[in-house]
Amino acid sequence: EVQLVESEGGVVRPGGSLRLSCAASGFTFDHNGMTWVRQVPGKGLEWVCGISWNGGSEGYADSVKGRFTISRDNAKNSLYLQMNSLRAEDTALYYCARVRGSGWSNYFDTWGRGTLVTVSS
Amino acid sequence: EFVLTQSPGTLSLSPGERAALSCRASQSMSRSHLAWYQQKPGQAPRLLIYGASTRATGIPDRFSGSGSGTDFTLTITRLEPEDFAVYYCQHFGRSPIAFGGGTTVEIK
């Protein structure tokens, strides 16, 4: 069974940092691009960033560019999101998702359950 | 900026009725770059349709997608109780990847 499990989020002060991880299982991890999508509770979906199968290509939403960094470790079947300079507006449920194909721009065929990040003083 | 506009915001229907959800793009786009997702309360989104009209694995045939250019539609022919949810369209042909604002299909 294809499964994506995000690490526990948490509460962070504005300006602080947090690293999320996503453990993948049930498929050959280095065959797919991966992505992060977030959702403010009760609101819509917002794409955050994506990474190609080998980490050679990345894409970011303007709202997080320069503050967030996506990475992956194929040997560990893991995806990461390093979030720096966090703002209140980054408060959301963060989903890890598998991208169809090897790049980062495609549809998302499997999603994790999400992890809540709260930025508050 | 590429924008997807979904309408209506909320659709109130009864089980057995037909639902038609619209997704309009701010610029013409390739059909192959349009996907639809379903999200139920407390759950992650689930892929329904990709390439504008291809159903994902395990998706019932009461769900269908159509459209081209700037106008796309998700149709649910006969609503089942489990179909009441929020639906999002997505474009991924260019960066940034965009989602529509969503349409809520609620029980009338």
Side-chain angles (χ1 to χ4, degrees), chain B residues 8-85:
Chain B
T10 302
L11 204 48
S12 298
L13 296 167
S14 301
E17 289 194 295
R18 177 178 177 275
L21 287 64
S22 172
C23 176
R24 178 162 291 177
S26 57
Q27 304 170 43
S28 185
M29 56 176 281
S30 169
R31 299 181 79 252
S32 63
H33 294 158
L34 194 285
W36 289 92
Y37 300 85
Q38 176 194 65
Q39 187 178 33
K40 297 179 182 179
Q43 296 185 18
R46 176 176 71 145
L47 176 68
L48 289 178
I49 300 280
Y50 60 91
S53 60
T54 303
R55 281 187 300 277
T57 303
I59 302 304
D61 60 7
R62 64 179 181 273
F63 290 91
S64 64
S66 63
S68 63
T70 60
D71 292 308
F72 297 87
T73 301
L74 174 69
T75 302
I76 312 170
T77 51
R78 292 171 306 279
L79 282 164
E80 297 287 341
E82 61 268 27
D83 300 336
F84 292 92

Side-chain angles (χ1 to χ4, degrees), chain A residues 87-99:
Chain A
R87 306 166 179 168
E89 54 264 36
D90 296 318
T91 295
L93 188 63
Y94 284 74
Y95 292 103
C96 157
R98 185 177 76 170
V99 180

Side-chain angles (χ1 to χ4, degrees), chain A residues 35 37 39 43-47 59-62 65 95 104-114, chain B residues 32 35 37 39 42-47 49-51 88 90 92-101:
Chain A
T35 196
V37 176
Q39 184 174 37
K43 302 297 184 182
L45 301 172
E46 180 189 15
W47 175 75
Y60 294 90
D62 288 345
K65 201 173 293 183
Y95 292 103
W104 56 262
S105 185
N106 210 322
Y107 57 88
F108 309 149
D109 62 8
T110 304
W111 297 63
R113 298 183 68 175
Chain B
S32 63
Y37 300 85
Q39 187 178 33
Q43 296 185 18
R46 176 176 71 145
L47 176 68
I49 300 280
Y50 60 91
Y88 296 95
Q90 177 212 15
F92 50 84
R94 66 190 77 179
S95 184
I97 291 170
F99 286 97

